PDB file of all heavy atoms in Angstrom:
ATOM      1  N   ARG A 105     224.682  -3.335 138.571  1.00 63.00           N
ATOM      2  CA  ARG A 105     223.520  -2.537 138.213  1.00 63.00           C
ATOM      3  C   ARG A 105     223.771  -1.777 136.917  1.00 63.00           C
ATOM      4  O   ARG A 105     222.897  -1.647 136.083  1.00 63.00           O
ATOM      5  CB  ARG A 105     223.192  -1.557 139.346  1.00 63.00           C
ATOM      6  CG  ARG A 105     221.888  -0.815 139.108  1.00 63.00           C
ATOM      7  CD  ARG A 105     221.464  -0.035 140.322  1.00 63.00           C
ATOM      8  NE  ARG A 105     220.168   0.579 140.114  1.00 63.00           N
ATOM      9  CZ  ARG A 105     219.534   1.300 141.015  1.00 63.00           C
ATOM     10  NH1 ARG A 105     220.083   1.500 142.197  1.00 63.00           N
ATOM     11  NH2 ARG A 105     218.361   1.840 140.754  1.00 63.00           N
ATOM     12  N   ILE A 223     228.243  24.710 119.093  1.00 76.00           N
ATOM     13  CA  ILE A 223     228.815  25.374 120.266  1.00 76.00           C
ATOM     14  C   ILE A 223     228.863  24.401 121.438  1.00 76.00           C
ATOM     15  O   ILE A 223     229.859  24.327 122.172  1.00 76.00           O
ATOM     16  CB  ILE A 223     227.992  26.624 120.624  1.00 76.00           C
ATOM     17  CG1 ILE A 223     228.182  27.702 119.549  1.00 76.00           C
ATOM     18  CG2 ILE A 223     228.396  27.177 121.998  1.00 76.00           C
ATOM     19  CD1 ILE A 223     227.273  28.899 119.728  1.00 76.00           C
ATOM     20  N   TYR A 282     242.411  25.745 124.366  1.00 91.00           N
ATOM     21  CA  TYR A 282     241.514  24.597 124.463  1.00 91.00           C
ATOM     22  C   TYR A 282     240.319  24.763 123.519  1.00 91.00           C
ATOM     23  O   TYR A 282     239.866  23.803 122.893  1.00 91.00           O
ATOM     24  CB  TYR A 282     241.019  24.435 125.899  1.00 91.00           C
ATOM     25  CG  TYR A 282     242.108  24.072 126.880  1.00 91.00           C
ATOM     26  CD1 TYR A 282     242.697  25.034 127.684  1.00 91.00           C
ATOM     27  CD2 TYR A 282     242.546  22.759 127.000  1.00 91.00           C
ATOM     28  CE1 TYR A 282     243.693  24.704 128.589  1.00 91.00           C
ATOM     29  CE2 TYR A 282     243.545  22.417 127.900  1.00 91.00           C
ATOM     30  CZ  TYR A 282     244.120  23.406 128.690  1.00 91.00           C
ATOM     31  OH  TYR A 282     245.109  23.071 129.579  1.00 91.00           O
ATOM     32  N   VAL A 386     237.223  42.574 114.095  1.00 89.00           N
ATOM     33  CA  VAL A 386     235.767  42.556 113.917  1.00 89.00           C
ATOM     34  C   VAL A 386     235.083  41.841 115.074  1.00 89.00           C
ATOM     35  O   VAL A 386     234.110  42.357 115.646  1.00 89.00           O
ATOM     36  CB  VAL A 386     235.391  41.879 112.578  1.00 89.00           C
ATOM     37  CG1 VAL A 386     233.884  41.686 112.496  1.00 89.00           C
ATOM     38  CG2 VAL A 386     235.872  42.726 111.411  1.00 89.00           C
ATOM     39  N   MET A 424     214.272  27.448 127.681  1.00 77.00           N
ATOM     40  CA  MET A 424     215.409  27.566 126.765  1.00 77.00           C
ATOM     41  C   MET A 424     216.212  26.278 126.727  1.00 77.00           C
ATOM     42  O   MET A 424     216.678  25.847 125.678  1.00 77.00           O
ATOM     43  CB  MET A 424     216.313  28.730 127.181  1.00 77.00           C
ATOM     44  CG  MET A 424     215.715  30.109 126.959  1.00 77.00           C
ATOM     45  SD  MET A 424     216.826  31.413 127.540  1.00 77.00           S
ATOM     46  CE  MET A 424     218.235  31.190 126.443  1.00 77.00           C
ATOM     47  N   GLN A 473     198.395  14.337 149.806  1.00 87.00           N
ATOM     48  CA  GLN A 473     196.955  14.509 149.984  1.00 87.00           C
ATOM     49  C   GLN A 473     196.171  13.538 149.102  1.00 87.00           C
ATOM     50  O   GLN A 473     195.131  13.009 149.503  1.00 87.00           O
ATOM     51  CB  GLN A 473     196.546  15.950 149.651  1.00 87.00           C
ATOM     52  CG  GLN A 473     197.132  17.008 150.573  1.00 87.00           C
ATOM     53  CD  GLN A 473     196.722  18.410 150.149  1.00 87.00           C
ATOM     54  OE1 GLN A 473     195.644  18.622 149.609  1.00 87.00           O
ATOM     55  NE2 GLN A 473     197.589  19.377 150.405  1.00 87.00           N
ATOM     56  N   GLN A 480     205.241  10.538 144.957  1.00 85.00           N
ATOM     57  CA  GLN A 480     206.024  10.849 146.158  1.00 85.00           C
ATOM     58  C   GLN A 480     207.405  10.198 146.080  1.00 85.00           C
ATOM     59  O   GLN A 480     208.421  10.810 146.426  1.00 85.00           O
ATOM     60  CB  GLN A 480     205.287  10.349 147.399  1.00 85.00           C
ATOM     61  CG  GLN A 480     204.008  11.103 147.737  1.00 85.00           C
ATOM     62  CD  GLN A 480     203.331  10.519 148.960  1.00 85.00           C
ATOM     63  OE1 GLN A 480     203.910  10.456 150.045  1.00 85.00           O
ATOM     64  NE2 GLN A 480     202.095  10.052 148.791  1.00 85.00           N
ATOM     65  N   GLY A 516     208.403  31.038 140.038  1.00 95.00           N
ATOM     66  CA  GLY A 516     208.964  31.166 141.378  1.00 95.00           C
ATOM     67  C   GLY A 516     210.457  31.391 141.366  1.00 95.00           C
ATOM     68  O   GLY A 516     210.988  32.166 142.172  1.00 95.00           O
TER      69      GLY A 516
END
Side-chain angles (χ1 to χ4, degrees):
R105 187 170 185 179
I223 291 173
Y282 294 99
V386 172
M424 290 178 64
Q473 296 178 31
Q480 291 179 59

